[in-house]
Amino acid sequence: MDYLNPVYSEETECQDCYKCIRECPVKAIRVTNNRASIIPELCMACGHCVNICPSGAKKVRDDLKRVKHLLERTEKVIVSLAPSFRSEFNGLAPEKLIHAIKRLGFYGVSETALGAQQISAQLAADIETPAHQTGIMISSACPVAVEFISRYYPEHAGKITNLLSPLLAHCRFLKSTYGEGVGIVFVGPCIAKKLEERAHPELLDVSITFEDLRRWFEKAQIVPNSQNPTPDDFFIPEAAQEGALYPVEGGMIEATKLNCKNNDVRFMGLSGIKNIEEALQNLDEGSLHENILLELLACEGGCVNGPKSSRRSVIQSRLDVMEHADVTGQNCPRNPSVDVRDDIRIEPVTSYGCTEEEITDTLQKIGKQVSADELNCSGCGYHSCRELAVAIIAGKAETSMCVSYMRQQAQKKANALLRTLPYAVVIADKDLKIIECNGEFVRMGGEDVALISEVVPGLEGADLSSIFPFCDLFRMVLETGEDIVRRYIRFNDTVLSATIFTIDLHQIVGATLVDVTHTELHREQIVEKAQQVIQNTLTSVQDIAFRLGKSAAESELILNSIIEGFSVTRYPDDRKE
């Protein structure tokens, strides 16, 4: 993982679902050992992968410690609060939010929208200048849109207005007002502001999200709604007006129009990277005969739908912002009070060069022998098989990412195993429809079953109960989930040893059937012979016992008579004595 990048991947939490690749508009993801990681040099920090990752493996760099360190070493630190706070903290009075933020140690809170007003004023002035840029102009307000165009559509990068973003313009405005030594921390829904922090450390110190601010409040046991604001709790140096419209789609256009009286320019707004990409891909500048200013926002619906916003209804969020924005234009047209010029850095991404031979060879490695094999199913996350092949060559992907290829490999292995097993195997679903079986099972079923298998390979979809009469055993395993091991069954003049087991609980069962007819006959013969031996042995024992008993009786009579004889006979002399 790369903690220096605004977005990183906790690889141990990755479940290799490829959803991040599928959703990333620029495929800034590398898969190694079935784990996805961010490629910093390709990432635009749009944050989309953070929101869609089902396992939460994609994370945003936590900069709260840096903010706290800044507060410790800097006398005055001001929060530049994104204008979408109206939607994020809906129903919360601004003075309560300001008081809560100041309790964290900040000198004051200012609206980023003040910087937006500087941009609108300068943009309007440029448009009204006779020598202004003609053709297409692209707003520099959204850092993700600027990154996207300068990296992936550099041919259009020259159309981006050479102005700072509203945040950076606000930073310059605050430093001109409160001194160069003031610290500035942005708080909003945008992750890409961390890229602006890296590009302009002289203007912006740290960028955190609304989510970070809420977490900080909770840890500090500060409840914004419960605050008792004072008369000093107001936006410094003043509240914003038309600049507060910037976080909604078309907001920049409306703010610029309030400052511009030139009707020679068409204003158009697009939101969402996919919509921006489609517009740029199909753009035919030769057919355009008007000057156009494009407001391009990476997040669909605008900043109110940013990656670290509360993700409420876009309609409701827009209403929250527009309801509180001062669009009377009473101070318009205004003049910019600070220099907001900037040079847009064009750093196009270098595409990985590979030959057609390399692509063909890689496609064959994932089972795409001919063009018909290229399913372009996007299961790997890439739009096409060829795109996956290029990613594999570039070291961004692995062959195991091709779902159809891995399924084919698994199927081939399973089929080979089933074919070589010396006993019958059958797999059925909960309705006892055959999913798969091998040749031994077909042979065991007889000629009729063999004929069916010629038409339907593997008997797929056939009713198991019509072939195998002991389906109650299968139903029992499906219902209880308890396997049946070595149950002897008589079937078609044979004796089968059946083992029925669960594959997917209550859904799929499998069975192995072994013909043990000869083994059983042999066993019965052994049992019969053993019984004969036992019977003969018992007879012999009984005969021996009888003979021993008769002999013992006769011996007893003889011994008793001898004892008796010795007991009665006496000599005369003995009697006298």
Side-chain angles (χ1 to χ4, degrees):
M1 66 187 70
D2 184 357
Y3 288 109
L4 297 178
N5 200 52
V7 182
Y8 66 93
S9 183
E10 195 70 63
E11 296 180 22
T12 56
E13 297 180 14
C14 178
Q15 301 298 318
D16 64 301
C17 66
Y18 311 138
K19 190 172 184 179
C20 56
I21 302 175
R22 200 156 32 247
E23 295 283 342
C24 180
V26 294
K27 310 303 182 193
I29 307 290
R30 175 181 287 110
V31 175
T32 308
N33 297 325
N34 296 321
R35 295 291 182 265
S37 59
I38 305 294
I39 305 176
E41 58 270 23
L42 302 182
C43 179
M44 307 178 300
C46 68
H48 186 53
C49 64
V50 176
N51 288 330
I52 58 90
C53 180
S55 63
K58 301 297 179 293
K59 301 182 184 298
V60 180
R61 189 182 69 214
D62 185 357
D63 288 325
L64 272 183
K65 288 184 179 179
R66 294 179 57 216
V67 176
K68 293 176 182 179
H69 183 61
L70 179 67
L71 288 170
E72 291 173 357
R73 61 183 172 83
T74 307
E75 183 180 354
K76 291 182 180 179
V77 180
I78 299 174
V79 165
S80 175
L81 187 63
S84 54
F85 82 90
R86 296 281 187 181
S87 169
E88 184 69 21
F89 297 94
N90 179 45
L92 178 64
E95 56 270 21
K96 288 190 174 185
L97 180 59
I98 293 169
H99 186 80
I101 292 175
K102 288 170 70 174
R103 281 188 60 189
L104 294 173
F106 291 96
Y107 171 77
V109 182
S110 184
E111 292 187 85
T112 314
L114 293 177
Q117 291 174 181
Q118 295 286 325
I119 297 299
S120 291
Q122 186 63 64
L123 190 56
D126 290 346
I127 290 174
E128 292 186 334
T129 301
H132 76 78
Q133 180 180 348
T134 59
I136 294 177
M137 293 173 284
I138 299 175
S139 166
S140 60
C142 175
V144 176
V146 171
E147 287 284 329
F148 179 62
I149 295 171
S150 63
R151 292 189 187 194
Y152 296 95
Y153 289 89
E155 64 273 21
H156 297 298
K159 302 178 180 65
I160 301 174
T161 57
N162 60 336
L163 301 175
L164 292 168
S165 71
L167 169 60
L168 295 176
H170 186 224
C171 292
R172 186 165 288 177
F173 170 75
L174 290 176
K175 286 184 177 291
S176 69
T177 305
Y178 297 97
E180 289 295 323
V182 69
I184 301 174
V185 174
F186 172 76
V187 178
C190 183
I191 298 172
K193 294 297 191 288
K194 294 179 185 290
L195 294 179
E196 293 190 303
E197 166 200 323
R198 186 170 64 191
H200 290 277
E202 77 285 0
L203 295 177
L204 178 62
D205 292 283
V206 190
S207 171
I208 61 175
T209 66
F210 285 139
E211 186 179 277
D212 294 330
L213 181 61
R214 290 181 186 277
R215 183 160 47 92
W216 196 357
F217 280 151
E218 184 177 350
K219 192 171 183 179
Q221 297 183 339
I222 296 174
V223 181
N225 264 317
S226 301
Q227 301 305 300
N228 296 313
T230 69
D232 294 331
D233 295 323
F234 55 84
F235 288 120
I236 59 174
E238 61 184 4
Q241 294 179 321
E242 75 276 6
L245 290 172
Y246 264 62
V248 300
E249 185 176 351
M252 187 214 76
I253 291 174
E254 189 168 345
T256 304
K257 283 182 175 180
L258 289 172
N259 287 278
C260 184
K261 305 303 179 184
N262 190 331
N263 295 321
D264 187 34
V265 176
R266 295 278 188 182
F267 294 86
M268 295 184 183
L270 291 171
S271 67
I273 289 294
K274 290 183 180 179
N275 292 329
I276 293 173
E277 185 173 25
E278 289 178 3
L280 295 178
Q281 285 178 340
N282 300 318
L283 181 60
D284 181 11
E285 295 183 73
S287 62
L288 301 177
H289 305 291
E290 296 181 274
N291 297 327
I292 300 174
L293 175 62
L294 294 176
E295 175 199 77
L296 303 183
L297 300 173
C299 298
E300 293 186 5
C303 305
V304 291
N305 199 34
K308 283 301 177 179
S309 64
S310 57
R311 313 292 286 181
R312 298 169 61 230
S313 162
V314 175
I315 295 175
Q316 186 60 55
S317 297
R318 286 173 63 96
L319 289 174
D320 291 338
V321 170
M322 297 171 70
E323 182 181 352
H324 295 91
D326 182 359
V327 292
T328 58
Q330 57 183 357
N331 293 320
C332 297
R334 67 175 77 238
N335 295 317
S337 60
V338 293
D339 180 17
V340 293
R341 297 291 180 189
D342 187 31
D343 293 325
I344 303 299
R345 293 176 301 172
I346 303 175
E347 300 176 346
V349 170
T350 303
S351 58
Y352 189 87
C354 52
T355 65
E356 186 64 28
E357 184 179 356
E358 287 178 308
I359 295 175
T360 301
D361 182 58
T362 304
L363 285 170
Q364 290 177 350
K365 289 179 181 178
I366 55 176
K368 317 300 178 185
Q369 305 299 328
V370 294
S371 58
D373 294 331
E374 298 176 28
L375 302 179
N376 302 324
C377 65
S378 298
C380 60
Y382 289 93
H383 298 303
S384 66
C385 297
R386 291 180 65 83
E387 190 176 341
L388 171 61
V390 173
I392 292 173
I393 296 169
K396 291 172 56 180
E398 300 175 319
T399 55
S400 60
M401 292 170 61
C402 180
V403 179
S404 62
Y405 170 68
M406 295 304 292
R407 185 174 60 246
Q408 289 172 2
Q409 290 295 102
Q411 190 65 45
K412 287 179 180 178
K413 292 176 182 178
N415 288 341
L417 182 61
L418 287 176
R419 284 197 308 269
T420 55
L421 288 176
Y423 44 80
V425 177
V426 62
I427 300 172
D429 62 18
K430 62 180 181 179
D431 298 319
L432 296 184
K433 300 295 183 183
I434 294 177
I435 297 175
E436 195 169 359
C437 68
N438 65 354
E440 281 297 310
F441 181 80
V442 173
R443 182 193 59 76
M444 189 176 289
E447 294 183 3
D448 293 340
V449 175
L451 290 174
I452 297 174
S453 69
E454 292 180 3
V455 180
V456 183
L459 299 177
E460 184 177 358
D463 187 358
L464 179 62
S465 60
S466 64
I467 301 173
F468 194 71
F470 301 97
C471 287
D472 287 344
L473 297 176
F474 285 80
R475 293 190 182 94
M476 186 186 303
V477 173
L478 279 167
E479 290 173 3
T480 65
E482 296 181 3
D483 297 346
I484 295 174
V485 181
R486 290 196 297 275
R487 175 72 64 84
Y488 289 99
I489 300 170
R490 292 195 177 275
F491 174 67
N492 290 349
D493 299 326
T494 61
V495 178
L496 303 179
S497 174
T499 296
I500 305 172
F501 50 90
T502 296
I503 295 176
D504 188 0
L505 188 62
H506 307 312
Q507 299 295 321
I508 301 175
V509 292
T512 59
L513 306 169
V514 183
D515 187 347
V516 294
T517 305
H518 297 298
T519 304
E520 187 67 14
L521 288 174
H522 183 59
R523 187 184 69 83
E524 290 178 355
Q525 289 172 358
I526 292 173
V527 170
E528 184 179 348
K529 289 180 179 180
Q531 289 175 339
Q532 290 177 359
V533 170
I534 292 171
Q535 186 61 43
N536 293 336
T537 302
L538 287 174
T539 302
S540 298
V541 169
Q542 289 173 353
D543 183 56
I544 292 170
F546 173 76
R547 292 177 181 278
L548 285 174
K550 183 179 180 182
S551 175
E554 291 176 352
S555 298
E556 184 180 5
L557 289 173
I558 294 170
L559 289 173
N560 285 335
S561 64
I562 292 173
I563 292 170
E564 185 179 354
F566 270 98
S567 298
V568 232
T569 304
R570 294 286 186 267
Y571 291 100
D573 295 338
D574 292 337
R575 272 198 309 267
K576 289 177 181 179
E577 293 178 358

